[in-house]
Amino acid sequence: VVAPVLFKGGCNITMNDLTDGVLNLTLGTGGSITLQTTTGCISFVDTTNTILTSGGNSISILAGGLALVGNLDTSAAGAVSVNAPGGIDIGTVTGTTVNLTSDGNVFQFGVLTATTLNLTGSTAGGGDFFLNTQNNVLGTVQSAGTIDAALIRDIVGFTVGTLTTDNLVTLHSDGTVIQTGVITAPSLTLTSSSSGSGDFVLNTQNNVLGTVN
C-alpha cells in the first residue's frame, strides 16, 4: 500500500505483507478488518482522524515485529487486537474487548476505551505495558498468563482481574479500584492524580505481593 486507500463494504478485509503506506479503512456493519505481516513492522499513524473503523465487528493487527498503530474504532461493539512481538505504540482505541500482545514495550498516545483490556506476552513473562499516560476508560484489566510489567491508568476507577507480572504493577486512579482476580507482583504501586484520592479495595483475593507502595 503506497497511497491512501478507502474501503467500504460489509465483507471481511485481510491485507498481508503490509509495506509502508497510509491506510484509511472504513467498513459498514458486519465487517471485520485484519492487517497482517509475517516479518518486519506495521506502521500507520494519524493522530487526528480515525484510521480503521469497523461497523461493530473486530479489528486485528498482526505484526511480525513492531506495530505503530493509529486510531482504531469498532463503534464500541467489537474487539480490537494488536499483536506485535517487538513492541506496540497505539493511538485512540475503542472496543468492547481490547487485546494487546507483545514481548516488547507497549506505549499509548491516545485513550483506550474498553470493557475488558487483556494484556499478554508473546512469550511467558514478556511485555511491558505502559498504559498510564492517558485518562483511559476501562472496565476490567487482566493478563493472560504472566507478563513483565503493567502500568494502568483510569482516573474514574476500574476493576483488576487476574494480573500476573514478573516485575511490577502500577495502578493509577482517583476513583475506586476493585479486584475480581489475584494480583501477583514483586512490586505494587498505588497512585492518584489528586492528593488524597483513590480508593484501592484490593483485599478480596489472596494476592501474591512483594512491596506495596
PDB file of all heavy atoms in Angstrom, residues 130-173:
ATOM      1  N   PHE A 130       2.938   0.079  29.309  1.00  0.00           N
ATOM      2  CA  PHE A 130       2.933   1.416  29.897  1.00  0.00           C
ATOM      3  C   PHE A 130       1.660   2.138  29.461  1.00  0.00           C
ATOM      4  O   PHE A 130       1.675   2.986  28.554  1.00  0.00           O
ATOM      5  CB  PHE A 130       4.184   2.177  29.458  1.00  0.00           C
ATOM      6  CG  PHE A 130       5.465   1.547  29.908  1.00  0.00           C
ATOM      7  CD1 PHE A 130       6.167   0.692  29.074  1.00  0.00           C
ATOM      8  CD2 PHE A 130       5.978   1.807  31.175  1.00  0.00           C
ATOM      9  CE1 PHE A 130       7.355   0.101  29.488  1.00  0.00           C
ATOM     10  CE2 PHE A 130       7.165   1.225  31.602  1.00  0.00           C
ATOM     11  CZ  PHE A 130       7.852   0.368  30.755  1.00  0.00           C
ATOM     12  N   LEU A 131       0.567   1.821  30.124  1.00  0.00           N
ATOM     13  CA  LEU A 131      -0.748   2.359  29.755  1.00  0.00           C
ATOM     14  C   LEU A 131      -1.237   3.314  30.838  1.00  0.00           C
ATOM     15  O   LEU A 131      -2.385   3.258  31.276  1.00  0.00           O
ATOM     16  CB  LEU A 131      -1.727   1.205  29.535  1.00  0.00           C
ATOM     17  CG  LEU A 131      -1.244   0.153  28.514  1.00  0.00           C
ATOM     18  CD1 LEU A 131      -2.228  -0.994  28.419  1.00  0.00           C
ATOM     19  CD2 LEU A 131      -1.009   0.780  27.141  1.00  0.00           C
ATOM     20  N   ASN A 132      -0.340   4.205  31.252  1.00  0.00           N
ATOM     21  CA  ASN A 132      -0.611   5.118  32.368  1.00  0.00           C
ATOM     22  C   ASN A 132      -0.372   6.575  32.001  1.00  0.00           C
ATOM     23  O   ASN A 132      -0.188   7.416  32.875  1.00  0.00           O
ATOM     24  CB  ASN A 132       0.249   4.748  33.574  1.00  0.00           C
ATOM     25  CG  ASN A 132       1.741   4.865  33.293  1.00  0.00           C
ATOM     26  OD1 ASN A 132       2.172   4.775  32.133  1.00  0.00           O
ATOM     27  ND2 ASN A 132       2.530   5.049  34.337  1.00  0.00           N
ATOM     28  N   THR A 133      -0.399   6.883  30.705  1.00  0.00           N
ATOM     29  CA  THR A 133      -0.150   8.263  30.275  1.00  0.00           C
ATOM     30  C   THR A 133      -1.401   8.984  29.804  1.00  0.00           C
ATOM     31  O   THR A 133      -1.349  10.176  29.511  1.00  0.00           O
ATOM     32  CB  THR A 133       0.884   8.287  29.139  1.00  0.00           C
ATOM     33  OG1 THR A 133       0.355   7.598  28.003  1.00  0.00           O
ATOM     34  CG2 THR A 133       2.188   7.629  29.573  1.00  0.00           C
ATOM     35  N   GLN A 134      -2.535   8.274  29.735  1.00  0.00           N
ATOM     36  CA  GLN A 134      -3.792   8.861  29.257  1.00  0.00           C
ATOM     37  C   GLN A 134      -4.904   8.552  30.256  1.00  0.00           C
ATOM     38  O   GLN A 134      -4.794   7.616  31.060  1.00  0.00           O
ATOM     39  CB  GLN A 134      -4.177   8.282  27.891  1.00  0.00           C
ATOM     40  CG  GLN A 134      -3.092   8.372  26.833  1.00  0.00           C
ATOM     41  CD  GLN A 134      -2.835   9.778  26.364  1.00  0.00           C
ATOM     42  OE1 GLN A 134      -3.766  10.584  26.273  1.00  0.00           O
ATOM     43  NE2 GLN A 134      -1.588  10.097  26.037  1.00  0.00           N
ATOM     44  N   ASN A 135      -5.981   9.326  30.177  1.00  0.00           N
ATOM     45  CA  ASN A 135      -7.148   9.072  31.022  1.00  0.00           C
ATOM     46  C   ASN A 135      -8.022   8.014  30.357  1.00  0.00           C
ATOM     47  O   ASN A 135      -9.062   8.317  29.761  1.00  0.00           O
ATOM     48  CB  ASN A 135      -7.927  10.367  31.273  1.00  0.00           C
ATOM     49  CG  ASN A 135      -7.169  11.331  32.156  1.00  0.00           C
ATOM     50  OD1 ASN A 135      -6.434  10.920  33.046  1.00  0.00           O
ATOM     51  ND2 ASN A 135      -7.342  12.612  31.913  1.00  0.00           N
ATOM     52  N   ASN A 136      -7.579   6.773  30.456  1.00  0.00           N
ATOM     53  CA  ASN A 136      -8.286   5.661  29.822  1.00  0.00           C
ATOM     54  C   ASN A 136      -9.658   5.447  30.459  1.00  0.00           C
ATOM     55  O   ASN A 136      -9.916   5.871  31.590  1.00  0.00           O
ATOM     56  CB  ASN A 136      -7.453   4.388  29.938  1.00  0.00           C
ATOM     57  CG  ASN A 136      -6.085   4.545  29.302  1.00  0.00           C
ATOM     58  OD1 ASN A 136      -5.970   4.908  28.152  1.00  0.00           O
ATOM     59  ND2 ASN A 136      -5.044   4.288  30.071  1.00  0.00           N
ATOM     60  N   VAL A 137     -10.530   4.765  29.709  1.00  0.00           N
ATOM     61  CA  VAL A 137     -11.877   4.433  30.184  1.00  0.00           C
ATOM     62  C   VAL A 137     -11.988   2.915  30.152  1.00  0.00           C
ATOM     63  O   VAL A 137     -12.241   2.312  29.105  1.00  0.00           O
ATOM     64  CB  VAL A 137     -12.952   5.084  29.298  1.00  0.00           C
ATOM     65  CG1 VAL A 137     -14.348   4.769  29.843  1.00  0.00           C
ATOM     66  CG2 VAL A 137     -12.737   6.590  29.206  1.00  0.00           C
ATOM     67  N   LEU A 138     -11.797   2.293  31.303  1.00  0.00           N
ATOM     68  CA  LEU A 138     -11.627   0.844  31.356  1.00  0.00           C
ATOM     69  C   LEU A 138     -12.645   0.191  32.280  1.00  0.00           C
ATOM     70  O   LEU A 138     -13.050   0.775  33.284  1.00  0.00           O
ATOM     71  CB  LEU A 138     -10.215   0.499  31.840  1.00  0.00           C
ATOM     72  CG  LEU A 138      -9.059   1.096  31.035  1.00  0.00           C
ATOM     73  CD1 LEU A 138      -7.735   0.823  31.725  1.00  0.00           C
ATOM     74  CD2 LEU A 138      -9.059   0.559  29.614  1.00  0.00           C
ATOM     75  N   GLY A 139     -13.010  -1.028  31.913  1.00  0.00           N
ATOM     76  CA  GLY A 139     -13.803  -1.870  32.804  1.00  0.00           C
ATOM     77  C   GLY A 139     -12.873  -2.752  33.609  1.00  0.00           C
ATOM     78  O   GLY A 139     -12.420  -2.369  34.681  1.00  0.00           O
ATOM     79  N   THR A 140     -12.542  -3.917  33.059  1.00  0.00           N
ATOM     80  CA  THR A 140     -11.648  -4.868  33.723  1.00  0.00           C
ATOM     81  C   THR A 140     -10.325  -4.967  32.984  1.00  0.00           C
ATOM     82  O   THR A 140     -10.298  -5.071  31.752  1.00  0.00           O
ATOM     83  CB  THR A 140     -12.297  -6.257  33.799  1.00  0.00           C
ATOM     84  OG1 THR A 140     -13.493  -6.182  34.576  1.00  0.00           O
ATOM     85  CG2 THR A 140     -11.361  -7.271  34.440  1.00  0.00           C
ATOM     86  N   VAL A 141      -9.229  -4.934  33.742  1.00  0.00           N
ATOM     87  CA  VAL A 141      -7.881  -5.105  33.193  1.00  0.00           C
ATOM     88  C   VAL A 141      -7.320  -6.415  33.732  1.00  0.00           C
ATOM     89  O   VAL A 141      -7.359  -6.669  34.941  1.00  0.00           O
ATOM     90  CB  VAL A 141      -6.956  -3.942  33.601  1.00  0.00           C
ATOM     91  CG1 VAL A 141      -5.562  -4.148  33.019  1.00  0.00           C
ATOM     92  CG2 VAL A 141      -7.543  -2.618  33.152  1.00  0.00           C
ATOM     93  N   GLN A 142      -6.785  -7.245  32.841  1.00  0.00           N
ATOM     94  CA  GLN A 142      -6.274  -8.543  33.279  1.00  0.00           C
ATOM     95  C   GLN A 142      -5.176  -9.014  32.330  1.00  0.00           C
ATOM     96  O   GLN A 142      -5.033  -8.486  31.220  1.00  0.00           O
ATOM     97  CB  GLN A 142      -7.398  -9.573  33.329  1.00  0.00           C
ATOM     98  CG  GLN A 142      -8.111  -9.757  31.995  1.00  0.00           C
ATOM     99  CD  GLN A 142      -9.439 -10.481  32.136  1.00  0.00           C
ATOM    100  OE1 GLN A 142      -9.967 -10.659  33.227  1.00  0.00           O
ATOM    101  NE2 GLN A 142      -9.997 -10.923  31.018  1.00  0.00           N
ATOM    102  N   SER A 143      -4.391  -9.980  32.796  1.00  0.00           N
ATOM    103  CA  SER A 143      -3.365 -10.570  31.948  1.00  0.00           C
ATOM    104  C   SER A 143      -3.711 -12.016  31.655  1.00  0.00           C
ATOM    105  O   SER A 143      -4.343 -12.695  32.461  1.00  0.00           O
ATOM    106  CB  SER A 143      -1.985 -10.483  32.617  1.00  0.00           C
ATOM    107  OG  SER A 143      -1.931 -11.296  33.783  1.00  0.00           O
ATOM    108  N   ALA A 144      -3.282 -12.459  30.479  1.00  0.00           N
ATOM    109  CA  ALA A 144      -3.385 -13.873  30.122  1.00  0.00           C
ATOM    110  C   ALA A 144      -2.022 -14.490  30.367  1.00  0.00           C
ATOM    111  O   ALA A 144      -1.086 -14.268  29.605  1.00  0.00           O
ATOM    112  CB  ALA A 144      -3.816 -14.027  28.668  1.00  0.00           C
ATOM    113  N   GLY A 145      -1.861 -15.203  31.448  1.00  0.00           N
ATOM    114  CA  GLY A 145      -0.557 -15.708  31.831  1.00  0.00           C
ATOM    115  C   GLY A 145       0.267 -14.608  32.483  1.00  0.00           C
ATOM    116  O   GLY A 145      -0.255 -13.621  32.986  1.00  0.00           O
ATOM    117  N   THR A 146       1.586 -14.785  32.443  1.00  0.00           N
ATOM    118  CA  THR A 146       2.496 -13.859  33.105  1.00  0.00           C
ATOM    119  C   THR A 146       3.081 -12.869  32.108  1.00  0.00           C
ATOM    120  O   THR A 146       3.540 -13.254  31.030  1.00  0.00           O
ATOM    121  CB  THR A 146       3.642 -14.624  33.787  1.00  0.00           C
ATOM    122  OG1 THR A 146       3.099 -15.549  34.732  1.00  0.00           O
ATOM    123  CG2 THR A 146       4.583 -13.673  34.516  1.00  0.00           C
ATOM    124  N   ILE A 147       3.054 -11.580  32.470  1.00  0.00           N
ATOM    125  CA  ILE A 147       3.720 -10.539  31.707  1.00  0.00           C
ATOM    126  C   ILE A 147       4.840  -9.960  32.579  1.00  0.00           C
ATOM    127  O   ILE A 147       4.996 -10.349  33.732  1.00  0.00           O
ATOM    128  CB  ILE A 147       2.735  -9.454  31.259  1.00  0.00           C
ATOM    129  CG1 ILE A 147       2.045  -8.802  32.473  1.00  0.00           C
ATOM    130  CG2 ILE A 147       1.705 -10.038  30.303  1.00  0.00           C
ATOM    131  CD1 ILE A 147       1.099  -7.666  32.108  1.00  0.00           C
ATOM    132  N   ASP A 148       5.604  -9.017  32.031  1.00  0.00           N
ATOM    133  CA  ASP A 148       6.699  -8.453  32.826  1.00  0.00           C
ATOM    134  C   ASP A 148       6.213  -7.324  33.724  1.00  0.00           C
ATOM    135  O   ASP A 148       6.502  -7.306  34.916  1.00  0.00           O
ATOM    136  CB  ASP A 148       7.820  -7.951  31.921  1.00  0.00           C
ATOM    137  CG  ASP A 148       9.050  -7.551  32.728  1.00  0.00           C
ATOM    138  OD1 ASP A 148       9.584  -8.418  33.451  1.00  0.00           O
ATOM    139  OD2 ASP A 148       9.464  -6.379  32.657  1.00  0.00           O
ATOM    140  N   ALA A 149       5.452  -6.372  33.156  1.00  0.00           N
ATOM    141  CA  ALA A 149       5.022  -5.222  33.941  1.00  0.00           C
ATOM    142  C   ALA A 149       3.740  -4.640  33.361  1.00  0.00           C
ATOM    143  O   ALA A 149       3.504  -4.705  32.150  1.00  0.00           O
ATOM    144  CB  ALA A 149       6.109  -4.151  33.971  1.00  0.00           C
ATOM    145  N   ALA A 150       2.915  -4.049  34.240  1.00  0.00           N
ATOM    146  CA  ALA A 150       1.677  -3.398  33.817  1.00  0.00           C
ATOM    147  C   ALA A 150       1.500  -2.110  34.595  1.00  0.00           C
ATOM    148  O   ALA A 150       1.479  -2.119  35.827  1.00  0.00           O
ATOM    149  CB  ALA A 150       0.476  -4.320  34.037  1.00  0.00           C
ATOM    150  N   LEU A 151       1.397  -0.989  33.883  1.00  0.00           N
ATOM    151  CA  LEU A 151       1.117   0.311  34.471  1.00  0.00           C
ATOM    152  C   LEU A 151      -0.183   0.806  33.866  1.00  0.00           C
ATOM    153  O   LEU A 151      -0.263   1.047  32.651  1.00  0.00           O
ATOM    154  CB  LEU A 151       2.254   1.304  34.204  1.00  0.00           C
ATOM    155  CG  LEU A 151       3.609   1.016  34.881  1.00  0.00           C
ATOM    156  CD1 LEU A 151       4.392  -0.067  34.136  1.00  0.00           C
ATOM    157  CD2 LEU A 151       4.440   2.287  34.971  1.00  0.00           C
ATOM    158  N   ILE A 152      -1.229   0.945  34.696  1.00  0.00           N
ATOM    159  CA  ILE A 152      -2.589   1.169  34.224  1.00  0.00           C
ATOM    160  C   ILE A 152      -3.151   2.454  34.831  1.00  0.00           C
ATOM    161  O   ILE A 152      -3.013   2.682  36.034  1.00  0.00           O
ATOM    162  CB  ILE A 152      -3.509  -0.010  34.592  1.00  0.00           C
ATOM    163  CG1 ILE A 152      -2.893  -1.341  34.130  1.00  0.00           C
ATOM    164  CG2 ILE A 152      -4.895   0.191  34.023  1.00  0.00           C
ATOM    165  CD1 ILE A 152      -2.720  -1.457  32.633  1.00  0.00           C
ATOM    166  N   ARG A 153      -3.838   3.237  34.003  1.00  0.00           N
ATOM    167  CA  ARG A 153      -4.456   4.472  34.491  1.00  0.00           C
ATOM    168  C   ARG A 153      -5.878   4.604  33.980  1.00  0.00           C
ATOM    169  O   ARG A 153      -6.153   4.485  32.793  1.00  0.00           O
ATOM    170  CB  ARG A 153      -3.642   5.684  34.040  1.00  0.00           C
ATOM    171  CG  ARG A 153      -4.289   7.030  34.345  1.00  0.00           C
ATOM    172  CD  ARG A 153      -3.372   8.167  34.001  1.00  0.00           C
ATOM    173  NE  ARG A 153      -4.031   9.463  34.121  1.00  0.00           N
ATOM    174  CZ  ARG A 153      -3.386  10.613  34.237  1.00  0.00           C
ATOM    175  NH1 ARG A 153      -2.065  10.635  34.252  1.00  0.00           N
ATOM    176  NH2 ARG A 153      -4.051  11.746  34.328  1.00  0.00           N
ATOM    177  N   ASP A 154      -6.801   4.848  34.897  1.00  0.00           N
ATOM    178  CA  ASP A 154      -8.174   5.278  34.626  1.00  0.00           C
ATOM    179  C   ASP A 154      -8.589   6.066  35.855  1.00  0.00           C
ATOM    180  O   ASP A 154      -8.828   5.486  36.917  1.00  0.00           O
ATOM    181  CB  ASP A 154      -9.091   4.083  34.395  1.00  0.00           C
ATOM    182  CG  ASP A 154     -10.548   4.490  34.140  1.00  0.00           C
ATOM    183  OD1 ASP A 154     -10.917   5.634  34.464  1.00  0.00           O
ATOM    184  OD2 ASP A 154     -11.315   3.657  33.631  1.00  0.00           O
ATOM    185  N   ILE A 155      -8.669   7.378  35.742  1.00  0.00           N
ATOM    186  CA  ILE A 155      -8.854   8.195  36.935  1.00  0.00           C
ATOM    187  C   ILE A 155     -10.240   8.047  37.542  1.00  0.00           C
ATOM    188  O   ILE A 155     -10.451   8.407  38.709  1.00  0.00           O
ATOM    189  CB  ILE A 155      -8.548   9.684  36.666  1.00  0.00           C
ATOM    190  CG1 ILE A 155      -9.477  10.255  35.597  1.00  0.00           C
ATOM    191  CG2 ILE A 155      -7.083   9.860  36.267  1.00  0.00           C
ATOM    192  CD1 ILE A 155      -9.343  11.752  35.444  1.00  0.00           C
ATOM    193  N   VAL A 156     -11.189   7.494  36.794  1.00  0.00           N
ATOM    194  CA  VAL A 156     -12.545   7.310  37.321  1.00  0.00           C
ATOM    195  C   VAL A 156     -12.627   6.058  38.185  1.00  0.00           C
ATOM    196  O   VAL A 156     -13.377   6.010  39.160  1.00  0.00           O
ATOM    197  CB  VAL A 156     -13.571   7.260  36.175  1.00  0.00           C
ATOM    198  CG1 VAL A 156     -14.963   6.948  36.715  1.00  0.00           C
ATOM    199  CG2 VAL A 156     -13.584   8.588  35.424  1.00  0.00           C
ATOM    200  N   GLY A 157     -11.844   5.032  37.838  1.00  0.00           N
ATOM    201  CA  GLY A 157     -11.873   3.765  38.562  1.00  0.00           C
ATOM    202  C   GLY A 157     -12.004   2.597  37.605  1.00  0.00           C
ATOM    203  O   GLY A 157     -12.479   2.760  36.477  1.00  0.00           O
ATOM    204  N   PHE A 158     -11.587   1.415  38.038  1.00  0.00           N
ATOM    205  CA  PHE A 158     -11.644   0.238  37.183  1.00  0.00           C
ATOM    206  C   PHE A 158     -11.526  -1.017  38.043  1.00  0.00           C
ATOM    207  O   PHE A 158     -11.353  -0.943  39.272  1.00  0.00           O
ATOM    208  CB  PHE A 158     -10.543   0.260  36.111  1.00  0.00           C
ATOM    209  CG  PHE A 158      -9.140   0.394  36.637  1.00  0.00           C
ATOM    210  CD1 PHE A 158      -8.328  -0.721  36.808  1.00  0.00           C
ATOM    211  CD2 PHE A 158      -8.625   1.645  36.949  1.00  0.00           C
ATOM    212  CE1 PHE A 158      -7.028  -0.594  37.282  1.00  0.00           C
ATOM    213  CE2 PHE A 158      -7.318   1.786  37.425  1.00  0.00           C
ATOM    214  CZ  PHE A 158      -6.527   0.664  37.599  1.00  0.00           C
ATOM    215  N   THR A 159     -11.640  -2.159  37.383  1.00  0.00           N
ATOM    216  CA  THR A 159     -11.553  -3.458  38.047  1.00  0.00           C
ATOM    217  C   THR A 159     -10.312  -4.193  37.561  1.00  0.00           C
ATOM    218  O   THR A 159     -10.019  -4.197  36.358  1.00  0.00           O
ATOM    219  CB  THR A 159     -12.804  -4.303  37.756  1.00  0.00           C
ATOM    220  OG1 THR A 159     -13.961  -3.632  38.250  1.00  0.00           O
ATOM    221  CG2 THR A 159     -12.697  -5.676  38.408  1.00  0.00           C
ATOM    222  N   VAL A 160      -9.604  -4.807  38.485  1.00  0.00           N
ATOM    223  CA  VAL A 160      -8.449  -5.630  38.133  1.00  0.00           C
ATOM    224  C   VAL A 160      -8.863  -7.097  38.194  1.00  0.00           C
ATOM    225  O   VAL A 160      -9.332  -7.574  39.234  1.00  0.00           O
ATOM    226  CB  VAL A 160      -7.265  -5.385  39.087  1.00  0.00           C
ATOM    227  CG1 VAL A 160      -6.069  -6.237  38.676  1.00  0.00           C
ATOM    228  CG2 VAL A 160      -6.886  -3.903  39.105  1.00  0.00           C
ATOM    229  N   GLY A 161      -8.722  -7.792  37.080  1.00  0.00           N
ATOM    230  CA  GLY A 161      -8.926  -9.231  37.074  1.00  0.00           C
ATOM    231  C   GLY A 161      -7.643  -9.925  37.504  1.00  0.00           C
ATOM    232  O   GLY A 161      -6.819  -9.352  38.221  1.00  0.00           O
ATOM    233  N   THR A 162      -7.447 -11.149  37.071  1.00  0.00           N
ATOM    234  CA  THR A 162      -6.194 -11.841  37.363  1.00  0.00           C
ATOM    235  C   THR A 162      -5.065 -11.136  36.623  1.00  0.00           C
ATOM    236  O   THR A 162      -5.096 -11.016  35.395  1.00  0.00           O
ATOM    237  CB  THR A 162      -6.277 -13.309  36.944  1.00  0.00           C
ATOM    238  OG1 THR A 162      -7.319 -13.948  37.679  1.00  0.00           O
ATOM    239  CG2 THR A 162      -4.961 -14.028  37.227  1.00  0.00           C
ATOM    240  N   LEU A 163      -4.085 -10.655  37.378  1.00  0.00           N
ATOM    241  CA  LEU A 163      -2.992  -9.887  36.793  1.00  0.00           C
ATOM    242  C   LEU A 163      -1.686 -10.402  37.386  1.00  0.00           C
ATOM    243  O   LEU A 163      -1.440 -10.260  38.585  1.00  0.00           O
ATOM    244  CB  LEU A 163      -3.182  -8.401  37.090  1.00  0.00           C
ATOM    245  CG  LEU A 163      -2.199  -7.415  36.450  1.00  0.00           C
ATOM    246  CD1 LEU A 163      -2.193  -7.546  34.933  1.00  0.00           C
ATOM    247  CD2 LEU A 163      -2.545  -5.989  36.858  1.00  0.00           C
ATOM    248  N   THR A 164      -0.859 -11.014  36.535  1.00  0.00           N
ATOM    249  CA  THR A 164       0.367 -11.666  36.991  1.00  0.00           C
ATOM    250  C   THR A 164       1.560 -11.064  36.267  1.00  0.00           C
ATOM    251  O   THR A 164       1.613 -11.074  35.033  1.00  0.00           O
ATOM    252  CB  THR A 164       0.309 -13.173  36.719  1.00  0.00           C
ATOM    253  OG1 THR A 164      -0.855 -13.729  37.325  1.00  0.00           O
ATOM    254  CG2 THR A 164       1.543 -13.873  37.278  1.00  0.00           C
ATOM    255  N   THR A 165       2.535 -10.540  37.047  1.00  0.00           N
ATOM    256  CA  THR A 165       3.729  -9.958  36.457  1.00  0.00           C
ATOM    257  C   THR A 165       4.984 -10.504  37.132  1.00  0.00           C
ATOM    258  O   THR A 165       4.958 -10.904  38.291  1.00  0.00           O
ATOM    259  CB  THR A 165       3.744  -8.421  36.588  1.00  0.00           C
ATOM    260  OG1 THR A 165       3.947  -8.061  37.955  1.00  0.00           O
ATOM    261  CG2 THR A 165       2.444  -7.807  36.083  1.00  0.00           C
ATOM    262  N   ASP A 166       6.093 -10.468  36.379  1.00  0.00           N
ATOM    263  CA  ASP A 166       7.397 -10.831  36.927  1.00  0.00           C
ATOM    264  C   ASP A 166       8.087  -9.648  37.587  1.00  0.00           C
ATOM    265  O   ASP A 166       9.085  -9.822  38.280  1.00  0.00           O
ATOM    266  CB  ASP A 166       8.310 -11.369  35.819  1.00  0.00           C
ATOM    267  CG  ASP A 166       8.013 -12.819  35.477  1.00  0.00           C
ATOM    268  OD1 ASP A 166       7.425 -13.523  36.320  1.00  0.00           O
ATOM    269  OD2 ASP A 166       8.351 -13.241  34.353  1.00  0.00           O
ATOM    270  N   ASN A 167       7.554  -8.428  37.355  1.00  0.00           N
ATOM    271  CA  ASN A 167       8.270  -7.253  37.805  1.00  0.00           C
ATOM    272  C   ASN A 167       7.388  -6.333  38.641  1.00  0.00           C
ATOM    273  O   ASN A 167       7.486  -6.311  39.861  1.00  0.00           O
ATOM    274  CB  ASN A 167       8.850  -6.505  36.591  1.00  0.00           C
ATOM    275  CG  ASN A 167       9.849  -5.444  36.978  1.00  0.00           C
ATOM    276  OD1 ASN A 167       9.987  -5.082  38.139  1.00  0.00           O
ATOM    277  ND2 ASN A 167      10.547  -4.917  35.989  1.00  0.00           N
ATOM    278  N   LEU A 168       6.489  -5.587  38.014  1.00  0.00           N
ATOM    279  CA  LEU A 168       5.741  -4.592  38.775  1.00  0.00           C
ATOM    280  C   LEU A 168       4.359  -4.357  38.197  1.00  0.00           C
ATOM    281  O   LEU A 168       4.098  -4.604  37.014  1.00  0.00           O
ATOM    282  CB  LEU A 168       6.514  -3.275  38.848  1.00  0.00           C
ATOM    283  CG  LEU A 168       6.796  -2.528  37.542  1.00  0.00           C
ATOM    284  CD1 LEU A 168       5.695  -1.533  37.203  1.00  0.00           C
ATOM    285  CD2 LEU A 168       8.126  -1.782  37.632  1.00  0.00           C
ATOM    286  N   VAL A 169       3.494  -3.842  39.081  1.00  0.00           N
ATOM    287  CA  VAL A 169       2.170  -3.360  38.707  1.00  0.00           C
ATOM    288  C   VAL A 169       2.000  -1.968  39.306  1.00  0.00           C
ATOM    289  O   VAL A 169       2.284  -1.762  40.491  1.00  0.00           O
ATOM    290  CB  VAL A 169       1.046  -4.285  39.226  1.00  0.00           C
ATOM    291  CG1 VAL A 169      -0.332  -3.643  39.027  1.00  0.00           C
ATOM    292  CG2 VAL A 169       1.104  -5.643  38.527  1.00  0.00           C
ATOM    293  N   THR A 170       1.551  -1.013  38.493  1.00  0.00           N
ATOM    294  CA  THR A 170       1.195   0.319  38.971  1.00  0.00           C
ATOM    295  C   THR A 170      -0.254   0.592  38.598  1.00  0.00           C
ATOM    296  O   THR A 170      -0.628   0.466  37.425  1.00  0.00           O
ATOM    297  CB  THR A 170       2.100   1.402  38.370  1.00  0.00           C
ATOM    298  OG1 THR A 170       3.439   1.194  38.798  1.00  0.00           O
ATOM    299  CG2 THR A 170       1.649   2.784  38.819  1.00  0.00           C
ATOM    300  N   LEU A 171      -1.061   0.936  39.588  1.00  0.00           N
ATOM    301  CA  LEU A 171      -2.482   1.247  39.382  1.00  0.00           C
ATOM    302  C   LEU A 171      -2.703   2.717  39.717  1.00  0.00           C
ATOM    303  O   LEU A 171      -2.382   3.162  40.809  1.00  0.00           O
ATOM    304  CB  LEU A 171      -3.361   0.360  40.262  1.00  0.00           C
ATOM    305  CG  LEU A 171      -3.131  -1.155  40.131  1.00  0.00           C
ATOM    306  CD1 LEU A 171      -4.043  -1.915  41.083  1.00  0.00           C
ATOM    307  CD2 LEU A 171      -3.347  -1.621  38.691  1.00  0.00           C
ATOM    308  N   HIS A 172      -3.267   3.461  38.766  1.00  0.00           N
ATOM    309  CA  HIS A 172      -3.415   4.910  38.895  1.00  0.00           C
ATOM    310  C   HIS A 172      -4.895   5.277  38.747  1.00  0.00           C
ATOM    311  O   HIS A 172      -5.494   5.049  37.704  1.00  0.00           O
ATOM    312  CB  HIS A 172      -2.595   5.607  37.809  1.00  0.00           C
ATOM    313  CG  HIS A 172      -2.586   7.097  37.904  1.00  0.00           C
ATOM    314  ND1 HIS A 172      -1.503   7.850  37.556  1.00  0.00           N
ATOM    315  CD2 HIS A 172      -3.524   7.995  38.302  1.00  0.00           C
ATOM    316  CE1 HIS A 172      -1.762   9.136  37.729  1.00  0.00           C
ATOM    317  NE2 HIS A 172      -2.999   9.241  38.171  1.00  0.00           N
ATOM    318  N   SER A 173      -5.484   5.849  39.807  1.00  0.00           N
ATOM    319  CA  SER A 173      -6.887   6.252  39.750  1.00  0.00           C
ATOM    320  C   SER A 173      -7.211   7.233  40.867  1.00  0.00           C
ATOM    321  O   SER A 173      -6.603   7.192  41.943  1.00  0.00           O
ATOM    322  CB  SER A 173      -7.816   5.036  39.859  1.00  0.00           C
ATOM    323  OG  SER A 173      -9.163   5.420  39.671  1.00  0.00           O
TER     324      SER A 173
END
